[in-house]
Amino acid sequence: EEQGGELPESTKKLLGAESKTLRHGGCVLRLSGLYHSWRGPHTFWMQAGESKTNPNAVVNMIHYEDAASLAVAILKGDGIDGYYRAREFVGVEDQSASRKDMMDAVARCARYEGKGCTFTGDANGSVGKIMRMKNTKEMVGDFWQPKYNKGFVAFMDDGANDTFADAGPPENVGRGHS
């Protein structure tokens, strides 16, 4: 809720759609921040170079490929109880990272040539909410395993290699870049 206690109109619409979906037996999959080698908050911050936000604020993320494979597992009904009806799922990595930790990892990654971001906001401010997907993992069991289960920082430290890596930055997409 915002300071006045009133939810933003967009949030009300989203919650209403989720409620209706669940009432009719459908499932809801809430995804945290999506990323891959060339898309996500890291690319925004690399371009900005500086952000007036708290460097210690937590960023909850999930890789595009893990989000997609989770959605497929849910649609297929692969889980402990078989097909899902009227269930809520959350897609997020277990290893949350601060903005600073994320961008320090980006700066270490050779793919990004030392680019990073300086955060100049109040480091003592709120760090936000850390999300987990315990219930989702219990429902899907061993039928779904994330490929990038070590989290964003480890992904960067391992070279940011995924199926999107060879395409290059978004400005190269569709231009014959291999």
Side-chain angles (χ1 to χ4, degrees):
E1 293 183 5
E2 291 187 352
Q3 287 182 346
E6 184 70 22
L7 291 172
E9 195 59 37
S10 59
T11 302
K12 289 179 187 177
K13 286 181 182 180
L14 178 64
L15 292 174
E18 288 180 356
S19 176
K20 195 172 201 175
T21 299
L22 293 167
R23 276 197 317 272
H24 291 283
C27 292
V28 171
L29 172 57
R30 293 187 184 123
L31 298 172
S32 62
L34 292 164
Y35 75 92
H36 64 69
S37 53
W38 296 110
R39 294 252 186 220
H42 63 294
T43 57
F44 171 79
W45 288 323
M46 277 191 306
Q47 290 175 342
E50 182 181 331
S51 175
K52 296 178 182 176
T53 57
N54 181 350
N56 299 321
V58 173
V59 182
N60 296 292
M61 309 256 294
I62 187 168
H63 192 282
Y64 271 60
E65 293 175 47
D66 290 338
S69 66
L70 176 59
V72 169
I74 293 166
L75 289 170
K76 287 173 59 180
D78 291 341
I80 302 298
D81 299 322
Y83 289 102
Y84 303 109
R85 301 228 359 113
R87 301 282 180 98
E88 294 177 70
F89 299 87
V90 174
V92 64
E93 295 172 339
D94 284 334
Q95 294 78 18
S96 300
S98 72
R99 292 174 177 148
K100 182 180 182 330
D101 290 343
M102 283 179 57
M103 294 311 294
D104 286 351
V106 169
R108 289 190 303 267
C109 184
R111 181 177 305 282
Y112 305 106
E113 302 170 347
K115 293 180 183 173
C117 182
T118 302
F119 295 96
T120 60
D122 180 6
N124 296 315
S126 172
V127 296
K129 180 179 179 179
I130 296 175
M131 297 172 56
R132 294 288 180 253
M133 56 185 285
K134 181 179 182 256
N135 293 340
T136 296
K137 284 183 178 179
E138 288 174 1
M139 284 189 279
V140 298
D142 292 332
F143 295 97
W144 174 77
Q145 292 297 320
K147 182 176 180 180
Y148 302 97
N149 60 351
K150 295 180 191 173
F152 181 87
V153 171
F155 173 72
M156 288 293 150
D157 287 342
D158 290 342
N161 295 308
D162 58 16
T163 57
F164 301 92
D166 289 340
E171 62 268 12
N172 292 331
V173 175
R175 295 189 183 160
H177 185 272
S178 58

